[in-house]
Amino acid sequence: MRNHHNDHVGNGVDCGNVMSHFPMSKHQQVSTRQFLPRTISAAIQALLLSGAIATLNLSYSVSAYAADSQVHAYNLPAGSLEDSLNALAKQSGITLTFDPALVKGKTVPAINSQLSRQLVLQRLLEGTGLEPITQDGAIVIKRIAIVNKADTLPEVAVSAAASQLPGDISKPYAGGQVARGAKLGVLGERDMMDTPFAVTSYTAKTIQNQQAQSVADLVANDASIRNVDPSNSGYSNFFNIRGFLLGNGSIALNGLYGIAPNNQSTVIGIERVEVLKGPAAFLYGISPSGTGGAINLVTKRADDQPLTQLTTSYISDSQIGQQMDIGRRFGENKEFGVRANVLYRGGDTAVDDQSQRLRTGTLGLDYRGDRVRLSMDYGYQEINTDRANSTISAATGVPVADIPNANKSYASPWNKVELRDSYGMLRGEFDITPDLNIYVAGGKSHTDWKQILDFGSSMQTNGNFLNRSQLNYTGIDRTTAELGIRSQFETGPIHHQVVLNATTYEAVRTSVGSIQLGSRQSNIYNPSFNAQPVIPSLSRKKASDTDFYGYAIADTLSILDDRIQLTLGLRQQEIKAENYNIVTGATTSEYRESALTPSVSIVVKPVSNVSLYGNYIEALQQGTTVGATYNNSGQVLSPYVSKQHEVGAKVDWGKLAATLSVFHITQASAIANTATNTFTVDGEQRNRGIELNVFGEPWQGIRFLGGIMLLDADLTKTANGINNGNMATGAARTNITFGGEWDTGFLDNLTLNARVNYTSKQYADAGNTQSLDSWTTLDIGARYLTMVASGQMLTLRANIRNLFEENYWTTFPGAGTLNRSDPRTLLLSATIDF
């Protein structure tokens, strides 16, 4: 057994090796004519609900903007810059903060005239090397950033557009919630307008302001992504992206799979969370767990300015946490950097009688020279969850029971999961010439995974189910590396960016097997528990060995000042997998498969702020090893290739950006047949959809983030055609997520936010007889920025997720197992910068 999906998808497979989808559906189909009006109506209602605060208070934001440029009489004496800034703060009523060391020894002339606030600041800071930065309604005085030579050297004598510079790409877009660009594996870092895929890059500011605890909290901002597990009260995360499953084991760290924690990735020490939707094996290599998309974590690096930041947090019901973030740079040109983050949090969760303890730390070291850039990352994460919840499945042909309150548990009180992850990686880049660069990266990770859990099956409409307790101790050792060379040159009017890349990934899994601890009948509304078992002393044996290899070549050809960019690529991919008998060590099953997969993409910019794009991409995916609870246990399902066609448009209005995408994805389908108790490949799943995503700050103090996805996910080519045309499991037709922030005009430095999430009905079985109700949740929050007596900036935050405590089932695509939603959760935090 591996985790709560072991009943359905895998003995000998880690969280990064779950098949990317397993449809199950059948019910009377909703026609397109019926579907579109209802979905459009639901979208309009949800968008109106989320934007109500911002719309009603637009006048306040406009007033605040006008106040910033309004002329006032100022009387600032000549003398020290520190005294003048303090006088400005008093006379204008603004919150202004600065490090005394930055202004020490600087003098300014007197100002006695009627000026705007912006002009006064401009005059005071002229020639000082300092600049004013607006941060959550306050003004922070900082040193003007100096562009490092290493950042600009590769661009010398190159006709690339300014938007391609690394400093511009990592820069936050208007509103600060997302970055302008993202890292695209073999294609390198690209601006959003030069990216032929649907990509969103969430910033550290969003992580802090939304009080995100894990990657699951960040991807919840995207309408095309739904969390299958409870985001934090559970012990692992799975994501439903465009209707396909992606496991947490497929989260990359700085571009490499197999380094980030296997089950749940916290976002401590993370600067950006980059999300690419759709198959991405050409860009990153073979995904260990699914082809729904790719998620890449970019680690924090020390800034030129020293950083010491302390955050105290509270999560209902009684989890208290302390986090420290420290960054320093050293050397004559600040070429050496150190960034360290530590976090401890523990206490009761929002689920009754459930507790969780988290201990984690990260260390990032880097060196930036003229031609050489080096970095090292190390991390440790420990999550212990008492009375952890797991999955449950409904009996064949029986309607799914109404979900119980999410803050009540039907798991035995002695259930627990203990996870320990340690990982490290090295990366180096060397500029041979301004136009030729080589890079190499590698890393290792180790996971210790101990769990004693109840798994539910055969659930009846009245809530009765069979409760089975199981034990498993698992170890996962992953080793991964990549090597590449980039070059750019011109052939006549055509500019080329060529890359050669090789990747390797190995995951060795050890296990004690699935140990049955007893079973009994129970009820989800009135549970009865198995007696607490005596845990035997067991040692792990080798259970599986999985190897991925890949070689890729890509050329991006651009003309007319990058207004037309064509990317052509090929990746040779190979999978080798072996499973072993943990008692005898004998090989029980194995396979080796390879495929040459192409990728073609194009970006056309008819005008400067519009990008039209299209892509065709294929991805080889490992087949699943069938779990121990099925009659065909140990069978290795065949690898498969998923294919995506996508076209879209991106518009950048400067303060607001939008992406419209239309996609068509096909891949093999695997189904759990409860009648025969087998798990087999059956036909194909075809997902077609439309996405609209928006983000930015169209008016000062009003920010938007979210969108809508309309999805048509059908089963085709099924055995005897029995499920042809049915909806794939876990694939809702309408998904909406839309959030807004408003810097209030009635109280300086106070920001309010809200987000609405809507998902329409979906199915838990291939026959479409077991439907799951639609659901709508509302999240709200506020933050306030103030200066404490000692001069430090203090940020207070409060968020309530699932305000009205909506309870709903989620389902794992294909497996048909069910999980419960998160209960209403209160999050509080206070952050102070020293």
Side-chain angles (χ1 to χ4, degrees), residues 541-544 578-590:
K541 304 293 183 180
K542 189 174 183 180
S544 67
E578 292 184 85
N579 290 276
Y580 305 96
N581 184 305
I582 61 174
V583 177
T584 66
T587 300
T588 58
S589 60
E590 63 179 318

Side-chain angles (χ1 to χ4, degrees), residues 43-329:
I44 292 173
Q45 294 179 47
L47 293 174
L48 288 175
L49 175 60
S50 177
I53 294 177
T55 303
L56 290 174
N57 294 284
L58 176 59
S59 60
Y60 287 106
S61 179
V62 173
S63 298
Y65 180 78
D68 194 51
S69 58
Q70 189 173 352
V71 174
H72 293 280
Y74 291 98
N75 181 17
L76 307 179
S80 72
L81 176 58
E82 181 175 3
D83 290 342
S84 292
L85 289 173
N86 288 329
L88 173 62
K90 290 181 179 179
Q91 293 178 27
S92 63
I94 63 173
T95 299
L96 190 150
T97 183
F98 53 86
D99 184 349
L102 289 179
V103 300
K104 184 178 180 180
K106 300 182 186 297
T107 59
V108 292
I111 296 179
N112 294 287
S113 59
Q114 291 192 351
L115 298 169
S116 68
R117 190 164 61 199
Q118 299 101 312
L119 190 54
V120 172
L121 275 169
Q122 180 180 332
R123 290 189 178 182
L124 289 178
L125 300 179
E126 186 175 2
T128 64
L130 305 175
E131 63 179 345
I133 304 295
T134 301
Q135 180 177 319
D136 292 332
I139 295 177
V140 181
I141 306 300
K142 292 186 176 182
R143 182 179 287 116
I144 297 174
I146 299 175
V147 179
N148 186 271
K149 293 180 182 179
D151 292 334
T152 58
L153 185 58
E155 303 299 328
V156 174
V158 176
S159 60
S163 63
Q164 290 180 328
L165 294 173
D168 292 334
I169 292 172
S170 60
K171 181 180 179 180
Y173 188 74
Q177 295 176 298
V178 301
R180 280 204 59 91
K183 298 179 184 294
L184 297 179
V186 297
L187 298 185
E189 197 163 16
R190 297 235 178 151
D191 183 84
M192 64 182 184
M193 302 300 284
D194 297 316
T195 301
F197 301 96
V199 179
T200 305
S201 181
Y202 300 103
T203 63
K205 181 177 180 179
T206 303
I207 292 174
Q208 273 202 322
N209 288 340
Q210 295 188 358
Q211 301 187 74
Q213 307 302 309
S214 68
V215 171
D217 293 331
L218 268 297
V219 300
N221 290 291
D222 195 313
S224 301
I225 306 177
R226 288 293 179 255
N227 291 317
V228 180
D229 301 83
S231 60
N232 297 305
S233 60
Y235 58 90
S236 66
N237 294 138
F238 281 79
F239 315 101
N240 187 331
I241 304 180
R242 288 183 171 178
F244 296 111
L245 194 66
L246 186 75
N248 194 88
S250 280
I251 290 180
L253 186 72
N254 293 330
L256 286 184
Y257 289 129
I259 305 297
N262 184 71
N263 291 62
Q264 184 179 104
S265 296
T266 60
V267 286
I268 180 175
I270 300 302
E271 183 67 29
R272 297 202 306 270
V273 176
E274 303 172 338
V275 181
L276 183 149
K277 291 171 286 189
F282 166 71
L283 302 174
Y284 295 97
I286 299 175
S287 168
S289 171
T291 56
I295 300 174
N296 181 48
L297 307 182
V298 180
T299 54
K300 289 181 177 179
R301 293 287 177 250
D303 295 324
D304 285 347
Q305 298 301 319
L307 172 71
T308 303
Q309 188 178 86
L310 175 66
T311 299
T312 301
S313 62
Y314 165 88
I315 305 177
S316 57
D317 282 339
S318 63
Q319 293 190 77
I320 304 296
Q322 289 281 354
Q323 178 178 346
M324 181 68 78
D325 186 358
I326 300 174
R328 296 289 188 275
R329 299 208 71 86

Side-chain angles (χ1 to χ4, degrees), residues 500-579:
L500 300 174
N501 174 272
T503 58
T504 179
Y505 168 99
E506 181 185 26
V508 177
R509 183 178 183 273
T510 57
S511 176
V512 299
S514 182
I515 309 299
Q516 303 300 315
L517 300 176
S519 64
R520 67 179 299 161
Q521 290 295 323
S522 186
N523 185 280
I524 60 175
Y525 311 114
N526 184 27
S528 58
F529 308 117
N530 291 317
Q532 183 168 355
V534 176
I535 305 302
S537 177
L538 302 167
S539 60
R540 296 194 300 244
K541 304 293 183 180
K542 189 174 183 180
S544 67
D545 191 345
T546 303
D547 295 275
F548 301 153
Y549 307 98
Y551 310 92
I553 181 171
D555 185 7
T556 298
L557 304 89
S558 56
I559 59 174
L560 302 177
D561 293 330
D562 294 336
R563 297 186 68 162
I564 299 178
Q565 303 175 43
L566 174 66
T567 300
L568 305 174
L570 286 173
R571 180 178 285 274
Q572 175 67 33
Q573 304 175 77
E574 183 175 342
I575 296 175
K576 178 185 176 182
E578 292 184 85
N579 290 276

